[in-house]
Structure formats: structure tokens, C-alpha cells
Amino acid sequence: FYEHVLKVDATRKTIQLDDGPEQKFGGSEYDLLVESEAGEKLYVDVSGLEDDFVGEVHVGVMGRIRRLLTGQVIAQ
């Protein structure tokens, strides 16, 4: 859960994944591609972002695997 961080500055309209390049956005994008320095990619919906939000958001999901089906790997 704490492996990646999305740095968001809605006042300046910039976003950054980990130590990747800082990227500008308009505010209406619902599938904005953000890339880390290591080449990891993340699509972000910034259309509902509060205009004054400045901060970091951890990327990931805390949880556990409830079921693992063999043949096809499906995690829930």
C-alpha cells in the first residue's frame, strides 16, 4: 500500500507519481496517464478533484486475498 505515492497539487494543476516527471492537467481528465521514473503507469481520474487539494495519496489497496482460483489467477 505504501510502495507508491501520487503527489497532487490542484492549485497548480500538477500531478506526479513517485519521482516521475511532474505533469500538468486541466481538471476534466478522467483517464490521465501518469508515469513514475521507473516506467510504472497509472491512469487517474482528476475530474472530481477539489480545487484546493494539495497533498500525497498512497497508491494501492490494503487488504487480503480471499480466494485464489487455479487455472486463471483471479484475486478478490
Side-chain angles (χ1 to χ4, degrees):
F1 181 71
Y2 295 102
E3 186 173 348
H4 301 284
V5 173
L6 194 62
K7 301 167 189 165
V8 181
D9 187 337
T11 59
R12 293 180 41 232
K13 300 233 185 268
T14 61
I15 193 166
Q16 180 182 16
L17 180 59
D18 297 332
D19 291 328
E22 192 174 76
Q23 183 174 338
K24 290 280 201 181
F25 63 88
S28 63
E29 298 89 343
Y30 59 88
D31 60 352
L32 179 67
L33 176 62
V34 183
E35 198 167 342
S36 73
E37 188 176 64
E40 295 148 324
K41 296 177 179 154
L42 179 68
Y43 289 90
V44 181
D45 180 354
V46 295
S47 63
L49 191 60
E50 297 290 331
D51 292 335
D52 60 348
F53 179 80
V54 177
E56 295 184 347
V57 179
H58 292 284
V59 179
V61 176
M62 294 180 79
R64 60 187 170 92
I65 293 179
R66 294 187 338 207
R67 182 173 26 170
L68 183 63
L69 304 175
T70 59
Q72 291 182 341
V73 178
I74 300 174
Q76 294 182 341

